Amino acid sequence: MFSSKLARLPGRRLQLLDRSARRFQSTSGEPPSASGHSPSVANSSYLRTTRESALHTPGLQWVDEDNNNVAGRETRKMNLYQAVRDAMSFALTKDDTAVVFGEDVAFGGVFRCTMGLAEEFGRERVFNTPLCEQGIAGFGVGLASMGHTAIAEIQFADYIFPAFDQIVNEAAKHRYRSGGKYNVGSLTFRCPTMSVGHGALYHSQSPEGYFLGASGLKLVIPRSPIQAKGLLLASIRDPNPVIFMEPKILYRSAVEQVPIDDFHIPLGKAEHLTRGDDVTVLTWGTPVYTCETALHMLANPPESIAQHIPASVRKAKVELIDLRTILPWDVETIEESVRRTGRLVIVHEASRTGGVGGEIAAEIQKRCFLKLNAPVKRVTGWDTPVAMAFEKFFIPDALRVVDAIVETLTY
Amino acid sequence: MFRTLRLSATVLGNVPRCRSLATASSQLPLHGHLPTSQSPITPKLQFFNSVTEDGKQIPTYRVLDGSGKVIEGAELPELDQDLARRMYQNMLKLPIIDNLLYNVQRQGKISFYMTAHGEEATLIGSAAALALDDEVLGQYREMGVLLWRGFTYDSVMAQCFGNHEDAGTKGRQMPVHFGSKEHHFHPISSPLATQIPQAAGVAFALKRDPARRGRNCAAVYFGEGAASEGDFHAGMQLASTIPSPTLFIARNNGFAISTPASEQYHGDGLAARGPGYGVQTIRVDGNDVLAVLAAVREGRRLCIEEGRGVLVEAMTYRVGHHSTSDDSFAYRPRQEVEDRKRIDNPISRFRLFLESQGWWNAEDEESFKDQVKKDVMKSFKRAETLQRPELNEMFEDVYAGEEPWNIKEQREELKTLLKKYGGSWEPWKSELKKYKGEGKELL
């Protein structure tokens, strides 16, 4: 087992490299999978594929009288867009003031998230708006200021910027500037986010960092169908305006058993996906699965990269954390983890400069200064727009995450 | 060219049918219309501009002329002595409060102020036409609407001073950023035009509320400068497409700070835009309080009945400077302003009308003004002595529910600093005395 104390000793780095060389010569290892990195979203161990495991999702809070009794609960296999739709269906059923609106939501949405909702709840509650993001946001602010539940969709997170003024200057500050007399707490923006393989500049962005300075706002990014449903319902009912960013590549690819009842996953809380004492890896959204792959690669490096993965780090116990709520983020969980591991790697798809990683790195550096055994490492998109033909080398992939973990462990 | 001819031939194929129908109804177009539009096909190559057929400007609706007489062909809106007097009294209040607060800003007693000089008729005429519980979203020059609804002088002063009685903003916003839930007046914010699409959302909520549907509208005020913002487009578009009873009240006072309306738009003002959105529209003489009353009343009725947006463009003139941070004589001649004040004064115009009805006289004028001056001065003196809200209020109301760690910790950080320096560092020490509790709740 990798010891963080040992790593501080001089010469440690060389020693690790020696071992790595030995591992490379070995012929006893398992052959790497054809893709070179396994598992992927399709067979992720973080997705709950049985009723039993789904019902025991950590932090899950049932929203009905039968509190916390799982005996009679059922689950259904859903992908992420179906879970989002399921959450909105609960919001609309239980709250007569709730409405869903945005561009093309009436026929079911370009990502199918609102399928059948207009038929079920009527066009007065699920309706298309003109193609105008500042209008969608302003309309939502007005609706929510009257106490109505407004669930607005921005078709891609890339197109949230026309609404930036309404979100940052208006929605986020509404309660504060009115002395608490008015608020738009019942407002939620949903928007697809992150890369999709070929989205280029305007169908790939992860703009969460731009909203960090907008106190008064919450920002949530789920990683799976259960998370999406529970976090979205909690977001819709949270007394503050929330931006809910849905990783669009997971809409169809992330599939798990989702409890069919109404439930919340609390906002503001990160979740441990694996426990470990050697290094903390912090991420959210799509890269959760990239990190999962990276953890496997670290433990069982494919032959092609094995020479770069010293044997001693392969048994490192990595603590993987899904941040889930970006604003306000769960400093307590991250600080506790880094105090234990002494190392932090932050992975996000957004560009580095001005990204969320920088904010977290600064805060953790302040809180864990004496506990840190290595600089906080950030694995992020480069400070360029997302260029289509170059996506493979822009979005952090598992190899970059592995490399960052190795570099951090061997610092 | 060939393509055009071929298309014409195709369309011509329908002509006999159209013609035979045309004899039955002369309204049917000669050449039919496109499959996705009701637009009649015309063989005439003709561009057009603005919205009136011959390019003439949209007319301005007026009831009273400059001498307070009903103009030929105009009808007086329903009005009794009591309503007329109340309207006039509220118009009179505005310049009295404005003059005082403008001057005390000049003395540095408040940080900022914006007068409504010249726009009294637009503000009070429209306020009187609305129901007291219609939701109002303003820009910033709409204190008159609040006064009409019973907002007190004390509340005006509390907000402008940011003292601990300022319930609407708790001293957090600049002066004149009023808000009052009790008066259905949404909190003013500085970013221009943001309130316009919000109004459509508010109106949609009214329409969905069985208790208010068909009874209330959302009235949104903005200047002609703000109407250049994308949010104006968004608001008009939304209120017409997602039918919502939104009453758009544009104050076209000729200037956006230094920019004359002629540099703000090339078309026929704001009224010309309404029909483009399918919005019922009227232009009204904003210095004629009875024209504004009638237009907004009818606009409100239409708006609620049809459940859609209605636009009223009130033509007026910003007699005062843009704000206390502006000297308007840097971009317009002093004489022009003096002339407008003399020739087209909304207050004196209405006074002449009231006097002709025997509803007001010089004695009423003097005693009312004296009383207002006295009351306003009393509120001002009182507000001046009141402390600011507790310093702790700086951290409140950012979020509802559990307070996030960063705000909690930053409050603690300020506490630590106050403990360390609050009693000795003079700039902080003297400043702390201005807060209710002198910052002790943080110590």
Side-chain angles (χ1 to χ4, degrees), chain B residues 62-66 68-71 76 288 290 349-350 353:
Chain B
R62 172 184 273 188
V63 174
L64 296 180
D65 67 13
K69 291 198 181 71
V70 178
I71 67 169
L76 270 183
D288 173 1
L290 294 187
R349 201 201 287 199
F350 193 38
F353 169 79

Side-chain angles (χ1 to χ4, degrees), chain B residues 172-426:
Chain B
R172 290 171 186 148
Q173 289 222 65
M174 283 173 79
V176 308
H177 289 55
F178 301 106
S180 172
K181 197 150 199 173
E182 186 195 339
H183 298 97
H184 299 274
F185 194 96
H186 291 241
I188 300 280
S189 73
S190 310
L192 287 181
T194 48
Q195 76 278 16
I196 303 175
Q198 289 172 12
V202 168
F204 189 76
L206 289 172
K207 200 169 144 179
R208 289 215 65 223
D209 182 350
R212 303 184 73 179
R213 182 186 305 151
R215 223 167 55 70
N216 283 123
C217 69
V220 57
Y221 289 82
F222 50 93
E224 88 287 351
S228 295
E229 294 280 2
D231 272 339
F232 167 81
H233 163 71
M236 294 289 282
Q237 181 82 307
L238 282 156
S240 58
T241 314
I242 306 167
S244 316
T246 318
L247 187 54
F248 298 92
I249 303 175
R251 298 178 291 96
N252 190 339
N253 64 17
F255 288 94
I257 307 188
S258 75
T259 306
S262 61
E263 292 171 27
Q264 202 65 245
Y265 49 74
H266 180 62
D268 182 12
L270 309 187
R273 299 180 201 168
Y277 293 102
V279 161
Q280 299 271 12
T281 302
I282 191 169
R283 173 175 287 154
V284 59
D285 179 350
N287 285 1
D288 173 1
V289 72
L290 294 187
V292 175
L293 175 75
V296 174
R297 224 182 229 171
E298 178 61 9
R300 176 182 185 273
R301 192 191 64 74
L302 264 176
C303 172
I304 292 175
E305 193 179 285
E306 295 183 1
R308 266 181 214 274
V310 170
L311 171 64
V312 178
E313 181 185 26
M315 307 303 288
T316 176
Y317 187 83
R318 196 194 78 212
V319 171
H321 300 301
H322 165 69
S323 73
T324 47
S325 308
D326 172 51
D327 171 16
S328 67
F329 302 131
Y331 50 82
R332 60 180 185 183
R334 190 181 290 265
Q335 195 53 47
E336 177 188 314
V337 180
E338 290 307 319
D339 288 349
R340 288 299 293 253
K341 267 160 67 176
R342 203 182 59 251
I343 298 164
D344 193 12
N345 186 313
I347 296 178
S348 53
R349 201 201 287 199
F350 193 38
R351 181 179 170 183
L352 289 170
F353 169 79
L354 292 177
E355 287 178 348
S356 74
Q357 303 290 308
W359 290 349
W360 193 259
N361 57 42
E363 207 178 299
D364 291 336
E365 179 94 1
E366 205 173 318
S367 69
F368 184 77
K369 277 182 168 173
D370 282 350
Q371 190 58 49
V372 173
K373 276 180 193 164
K374 227 183 280 171
D375 293 345
V376 169
M377 186 53 82
K378 197 173 138 202
S379 281
F380 165 74
K381 293 263 185 228
R382 183 170 170 279
E384 211 182 6
T385 63
L386 294 178
Q387 286 175 301
R388 294 173 183 174
E390 288 190 350
L391 185 52
N392 198 32
E393 285 289 356
M394 179 165 62
F395 294 101
E396 298 292 318
D397 299 322
V398 181
Y399 287 93
E402 195 191 338
E403 185 170 61
W405 59 271
N406 52 331
I407 295 175
K408 214 176 280 177
E409 286 185 6
Q410 287 162 28
R411 188 203 310 262
E412 289 304 312
E413 196 174 328
L414 179 62
K415 258 186 210 183
T416 310
L417 287 162
L418 285 175
K419 274 182 193 147
K420 203 162 157 188
Y421 301 110
S424 53
W425 175 241
E426 196 48 46

Side-chain angles (χ1 to χ4, degrees), chain A residues 134 170 176 217 240 329 367, chain B residues 189 231 394 399-400 405 409:
Chain A
Q134 65 195 95
E170 298 290 318
Y176 188 74
L217 197 70
N240 299 287
W329 60 283
R367 288 164 189 263
Chain B
S189 73
D231 272 339
M394 179 165 62
Y399 287 93
W405 59 271
E409 286 185 6

Side-chain angles (χ1 to χ4, degrees), chain A residues 168-198:
Chain A
V168 175
N169 273 330
E170 298 290 318
K173 297 169 174 54
H174 219 77
R175 183 186 302 274
Y176 188 74
R177 74 168 189 229
S178 66
K181 292 286 193 297
Y182 280 86
N183 72 80
V184 295
S186 53
L187 173 61
T188 306
F189 292 101
R190 292 178 40 245
C191 51
T193 189
M194 299 189 180
S195 64
V196 70
H198 50 269

